[in-house]
Amino acid sequence: MNAVAILLGLALPIAWAWASLRPLAGADAVGIVALLAASAALNSFWPLGGGMAVDGAFASRFGPRDYVFDARRSVRERFLGPFTMTLSSFGCFFLGLAPLGLAWRLAQPSGLARELFAVGALLVLVVVGLARHKSEAPLWRWREELEAGVLPDAAGWKKRLEALARIARLDGSLGHVGGVGAATVGLHEHLDALEILQQAAQGGVAGASELLEKGLKHLESRRVAGGFPVYPGCEPRTAFTERAERLLRRSPG
């Protein structure tokens, strides 16, 4: 079912692109390349859609809002999860094709102007992609290193705390959002960050206790009947609930 859902999620944007570019098909290959690059570049400034899937929980972002589907809850949501995430992550790169195609046909660029626009659009796409790309803090790897007894030195802890401070949200959650991801911090990242902070606080690393305290309050706010869901609106997961409960039991408060 996942494969069918993903293929349909890809098919709709492709159909939209075909309909938008059909007037240029077979007659203006340069224009098609230019418009595809320009539409992708526009979305790359700040992707309109994105998503994240964790343990059968799908958070698909359209604009600033997540739509959450839980594959464990029903066959309908098992289909809608991968379908909407594919549509939101992939499809938004084609949204600008219709207005851009109309503007292209009205302007009717010719000769060198067409080729320069195409090259320029491709360059903008590359530059925007490189400029907007930000390496994410490898929270899961840092947690695994700590579990294996590999502790960073003072400089290493300082860098990690700085990275965690950058991904701290106003609500106390810690994790990556936006871009081609979800709008809500996933519990998996929040727990990784808290486990790192707990180790840092125990070692007396400056700033760790404050972030940990806020993060634990946020963690408690995500509790629902039965445990802790990966994303608000889905069913609790046993493994994440056990990790959350251990963190809250060990907290000073």
Side-chain angles (χ1 to χ4, degrees):
M1 181 178 288
N2 279 358
V4 173
I6 291 170
L7 286 174
L8 286 174
L10 293 171
L12 287 181
I14 291 172
W16 168 264
W18 178 83
S20 301
L21 298 173
R22 188 180 179 186
L24 303 178
D28 194 352
V30 173
I32 291 174
V33 171
L35 294 174
L36 285 170
S39 180
L42 285 174
N43 189 63
S44 295
F45 278 102
W46 186 259
L48 295 173
M52 176 62 71
V54 182
D55 197 14
F58 295 83
S60 301
R61 180 178 62 82
F62 291 90
R65 180 179 174 183
D66 283 335
Y67 296 83
V68 177
F69 301 97
D70 193 338
R72 296 187 182 181
R73 191 152 42 204
S74 67
V75 174
R76 172 180 169 274
E77 294 198 38
R78 194 182 309 157
F79 169 81
L80 286 175
F83 171 75
T84 56
M85 195 174 72
T86 303
L87 187 63
S88 63
S89 302
F90 179 71
C92 289
F93 286 94
F94 296 93
L95 281 179
L97 284 177
L100 286 170
L102 177 61
W104 181 270
R105 293 193 296 276
L106 290 174
Q108 294 185 343
S110 59
L112 183 61
R114 294 163 62 257
E115 296 174 2
L116 287 176
F117 184 89
V119 172
L122 287 169
L123 287 174
V124 169
L125 175 59
V126 172
V127 170
V128 170
L130 292 173
R132 293 293 296 170
H133 174 73
K134 295 180 180 179
S135 58
E136 295 186 348
L139 302 177
W140 63 271
R141 180 168 60 80
W142 290 349
R143 174 180 57 80
E144 289 184 347
E145 288 176 357
L146 294 177
E147 289 176 350
V150 181
L151 300 178
D153 57 17
W157 270 126
K158 184 175 183 292
K159 289 181 180 179
R160 292 188 185 187
L161 262 292
E162 290 173 350
L164 289 169
R166 284 195 296 270
I167 59 174
R169 326 312 312 175
L170 291 176
D171 62 359
S173 60
L174 295 127
H176 304 94
V177 296
V180 292
T184 307
V185 172
L187 185 66
H188 60 299
E189 286 204 333
H190 187 63
L191 291 175
D192 285 345
L194 289 181
E195 287 165 354
I196 295 165
L197 285 171
Q198 191 171 71
Q199 186 75 46
Q202 290 172 357
V205 180
S209 296
E210 292 80 358
L211 281 177
L212 177 61
E213 183 179 356
K214 292 178 182 178
L216 289 169
K217 287 180 180 177
H218 175 80
L219 178 61
E220 184 61 54
S221 74
R222 293 179 75 149
R223 185 195 295 272
V224 299
F228 291 82
V230 182
Y231 286 100
C234 69
E235 299 296 321
R237 298 295 196 263
T238 301
F240 291 123
T241 295
E242 290 174 352
R243 287 175 62 190
E245 295 288 7
R246 281 198 301 270
L247 277 162
L248 291 170
R249 281 197 301 270
R250 294 173 187 168
S251 67

